[in-house]
Amino acid sequence: MEKKDDFNLIIREYEPDDLEQLLGLVRELEAEMAEKFKAPVKSGVDDYRERYLNPANKYRTWVAVADGKVVGYLMGYPSLGTPEIDNMYDVLPLPPGTQPPEFYMQITFVTKPHRKKGISTRLHEHVIAYAKARGFKEIYACIAKWNDPELRVIRSFKFQAKDLGYRYRLSLKL
């Protein structure tokens, strides 16, 4: 499902032709994290290429496209309820035809020139609608306390926060 707005933004599911542009965003994110924390960041580009964007795996990715260019993405997956355990499995360890009750939003990123234009909000709206339409009972994210922009977006949807120490688990019943 595509949705277009006044400034030519389309939110849609990731397609294989988006790969190089999305990996460019991953590199941008990694550079920002290295600068923010003044420490080297191990690249996850190969993980994205081989694991997260592999259509045989559980991960789902949506992209924000402005004027034909991928400017943001949100990745998530059906969840067993604990990201640390979920990350051990690329496929859901459930009987065929069943799904867990939760959907986990793992990461959202918007390129710097396109921030503060509602793109992250639009990505979240789209994924919340996706989870609701597919019968998930809850959608959640775990967000570091220092990540104020993402916390603002999530809180705007009235997610309930649970303090986990250095991060929050933010949940929305669907």
Side-chain angles (χ1 to χ4, degrees), residues 12 44 51 58 82 87 91 107 111 136 149-150 155 158:
R12 62 167 171 76
R51 181 179 186 198
K58 67 183 175 190
T82 307
N87 279 334
V91 294
I107 188 165
T111 187
F136 290 97
E150 182 66 6
R155 287 180 173 142
K158 308 296 184 219

Side-chain angles (χ1 to χ4, degrees), residues 83-132:
E84 293 80 4
I85 293 172
D86 288 332
N87 279 334
M88 295 179 353
Y89 304 100
D90 284 342
V91 294
L92 291 171
L94 297 170
T98 62
Q99 77 176 14
E102 300 176 356
F103 191 85
Y104 176 59
M105 294 185 294
Q106 180 174 339
I107 188 165
T108 307
F109 183 74
V110 175
T111 187
K112 204 169 199 170
H114 286 84
R115 291 182 189 158
K116 298 185 180 180
K117 296 180 180 180
I119 295 172
S120 180
T121 299
R122 287 282 309 284
L123 282 162
H124 285 82
E125 286 171 347
H126 194 87
V127 174
I128 291 167
Y130 165 88
K132 193 175 215 175

